[in-house]
Amino acid sequence: MSSLRSPGTARQAPPAEVAGPAPAAAFPRVATVVVLGTIMAVLDMTIVNVALRHLSESFGAPLETMQWTTTAYTLALAAVIPTAAWAMDRIGAKRTYVIALALFTLGSLLAACAWDAGSLIAFRAVQGLGGGLLQPVGMTMGMRVVDRARLGRAMAVLGLPILVGPVLGPVLGGRLVDAASWHWIFLINLPVGALALLLAARLLPADAPAARGTEPPADAPHPYGTEPPADAPHARGTGRPRLDVPGLLMLSPGLALLLYGLARGGERGDFTAPGTLVPTLAGAVLAAAFVRRALAVRAPLLDLRLLRDRTFAAGIGTLAVFTCGYFGSMLLGPLYWQQERGLSATAAGLLGAPVGLVVGTTMQIAARRIDRVAPRRMIAAGCAVGALGMGLLAWQTGMAGVASWRIVVAGMVLGVGAGMTMMPAMTTATRDLPADRLAGASTALSINSQLAASVGTALLSVVLGTAGPGPAGFRLAYAVAAALLALGALSALRLPARRAG
């Protein structure tokens, strides 16, 4: 019987956990490895975006061709994320994470040795295969070893790279390409990746899966303190979990085609061209087919029955619209500073640094407070503050000759809202889920984040292109983003009105 409730029923308490590593001892070790690996991947994505023009000049290739270095990474990311939950059940979370780290580090080395645009694009795809697993697997490991009453504090640590990386990445990327060469945007990952691999081998708890055709003793504890339910695809007596191949052939290509179509449409400002419309529609059809299958089969690749839980559904809905507006707006700041103000990539990145500091500081406070306050109140307020900051950005960037500090302050207000919303919403969505559902939940959250950010980037790119160059275009784009954040506040009103515990 599923442990998830249907609408209108009381939320069932998580199953009792058996003995495993003490959370107080296990979480710091897991968090050290997860934060190191995640921040490497997140920073790499933003660093490459800043370096695209330099790469175009170095390889003598059009900028449109070099943008495939980003697209290839994203498509590989989308293809591999759906396998995260299955891989953790099949070979264990630790092994999955180590493989992901190794792939990402190897891809970084190969990318640094690229000899032309085509080889760089291919090696970026290798990076994406590793990067796509780092976030969902790392977050699952962290959530499994922490006491649920302290989940907010844990998420504050685990989520720091996700929110701060996109802001600090342009600073580091601009500095590397201005002061050194493009090779260093990849070479910088090698010592970090090597250290993360060493620490992963030493610090992460072992979680070897049961061998095929065998079953563990009835009283054997799981290394993370969890035990699979009787109806799970890896239930006792069935051996290792089977991969839902039809589901994989629907969801992974579907996500990749959707993200590709959105990226192409956003770049060209037109979603009606065959090269954009066909992959977008094909991706939507495959994704819809997967949803139908996932709701009908016993052991789908991704457990969409998680959405029957009202709190999880409200949390992921809030994150979808907020992420769409917040991460979609990330492209606007660097463009504004460089196109409208004529600043360098390094200067533009430095002007975004205060926002990153505000996001990180606010998130540390809010994610800890969510363990003791009503989620609905905090997260709805965070969305409202974020919408206010985005609205101030729309007002300021639409004015000619406005002082730079006023735009930075508006961005900092937005940062307060983001810090109050993102990690608290993830914590609330997953806090009361049974432990055996955490891998599926973190995978769903990662897919949600990728899709929402891609939709937001495409949408705001089209809005900016349609409105035309100049302050008016940025004002309209930021206004649309503000409206999306305000919608997040409405969705947050469906979250619990009482504090955890």
Side-chain angles (χ1 to χ4, degrees):
M1 180 180 297
S2 173
S3 8
L4 294 175
R5 61 178 178 167
S6 58
T9 64
R11 181 186 280 255
Q12 297 184 17
E17 296 185 353
V18 294
F27 180 74
R29 301 198 303 267
V30 172
T32 299
V33 179
V34 170
V35 169
L36 192 61
T38 305
I39 201 166
M40 177 177 64
V42 174
L43 285 175
D44 185 82
M45 291 180 65
T46 52
I47 287 173
V48 172
N49 289 339
V50 171
L52 283 178
R53 192 170 301 279
H54 293 265
L55 292 170
S56 175
E57 295 171 356
S58 297
F59 289 113
L63 186 60
E64 186 178 44
T65 299
M66 295 314 305
Q67 285 174 337
W68 271 95
T69 59
T70 299
T71 303
Y73 184 93
T74 303
L75 296 186
L77 204 77
V80 76
I81 285 178
T83 67
W86 170 82
M88 282 185 273
D89 283 338
R90 177 78 177 186
I91 63 173
K94 176 178 180 177
R95 293 176 183 175
T96 304
Y97 197 78
V98 168
I99 289 172
L101 279 174
L103 272 174
F104 188 88
T105 306
L106 174 62
S108 299
L109 174 61
L110 294 173
C113 299
W115 54 89
D116 59 17
S119 61
L120 180 60
I121 291 168
F123 298 147
R124 282 283 288 165
V126 175
Q127 274 190 306
L129 292 175
L133 293 173
L134 289 176
Q135 180 184 337
V137 177
M139 192 159 291
T140 300
M141 290 190 298
M143 290 190 294
R144 281 176 171 175
V145 297
V146 75
D147 181 356
R148 295 300 180 89
R150 300 168 61 88
L151 185 58
R153 302 180 188 186
M155 295 293 276
V157 177
L158 297 176
L160 191 60
I162 302 172
L163 290 181
V164 178
V167 178
L168 298 183
V171 180
L172 180 60
R175 183 62 181 167
L176 286 174
V177 297
D178 288 344
S181 71
W182 67 266
H183 301 84
W184 283 98
I185 65 177
F186 303 111
L187 290 174
I188 195 173
N189 293 327
L190 301 186
V192 180
L195 177 61
L197 283 167
L198 176 63
L199 293 178
R202 290 178 173 270
L203 300 181
L204 293 182
D207 56 354
R212 181 181 300 276
T214 66
E215 58 182 72
D219 59 350
H222 189 282
Y224 288 107
T226 67
E227 184 174 348
D231 61 348
H234 55 326
R236 294 185 184 276
T238 60
R240 294 177 180 175
R242 294 181 179 179
L243 178 63
D244 176 19
V245 176
L248 180 63
L249 294 178
M250 294 175 188
L251 185 57
S252 289
L255 287 176
L257 287 169
L258 264 177
L259 293 179
Y260 172 76
L262 290 170
R264 296 284 286 181
E267 291 168 5
R268 301 185 176 187
D270 180 15
F271 285 90
T272 60
T276 298
L277 183 61
V278 171
T280 303
L281 291 178
V285 169
L286 285 171
F290 172 79
V291 170
R292 181 177 180 182
R293 173 181 174 79
L295 295 175
V297 301
R298 178 182 174 188
L301 181 69
L302 182 65
D303 187 6
L304 296 183
R305 296 180 183 89
L306 286 163
L307 296 174
R308 292 177 182 172
D309 184 286
R310 289 180 300 181
T311 300
F312 184 79
I316 204 168
T318 301
L319 288 167
V321 288
F322 192 93
T323 301
C324 185
Y326 178 69
F327 285 106
S329 71
M330 289 291 182
L331 70 95
L332 300 176
L335 284 176
Y336 174 80
W337 291 119
Q338 294 179 66
Q339 291 184 7
E340 298 299 314
R341 298 299 187 96
L343 301 180
S344 67
T346 301
L350 289 172
L351 286 170
V355 180
L357 295 175
V358 169
V359 171
T361 302
T362 305
M363 185 185 67
Q364 294 300 311
I365 298 171
R368 286 167 169 77
R369 290 288 298 166
I370 200 65
D371 290 334
R372 301 188 295 274
V373 302
R376 179 188 300 176
R377 183 180 304 172
M378 174 184 287
I379 296 169
C383 291
V385 172
L388 172 63
M390 199 76 81
L392 290 173
L393 283 171
W395 178 35
Q396 304 288 353
T397 57
M399 299 168 57
V402 66
S404 297
W405 69 265
R406 293 173 61 178
I407 298 174
V408 173
V409 169
M412 293 170 72
V413 175
L414 169 62
V416 171
M420 292 174 63
T421 301
M422 301 287 282
M423 286 301 110
M426 288 187 183
T427 302
T428 302
T430 57
R431 186 191 301 277
D432 293 337
L433 291 176
D436 57 273
R437 302 281 184 167
L438 292 178
S442 62
T443 301
L445 287 169
S446 296
I447 292 174
N448 178 67
S449 175
Q450 287 295 322
L451 276 178
S454 296
V455 169
T457 301
L459 173 62
L460 296 184
S461 296
V462 171
V463 170
L464 186 63
T466 302
F474 286 98
R475 169 174 285 180
L476 181 58
Y478 274 121
V480 171
L484 290 170
L485 269 56
L487 286 176
L490 295 178
S491 180
L493 295 178
R494 298 173 56 235
L495 292 168
R498 57 179 176 80
R499 65 182 184 179

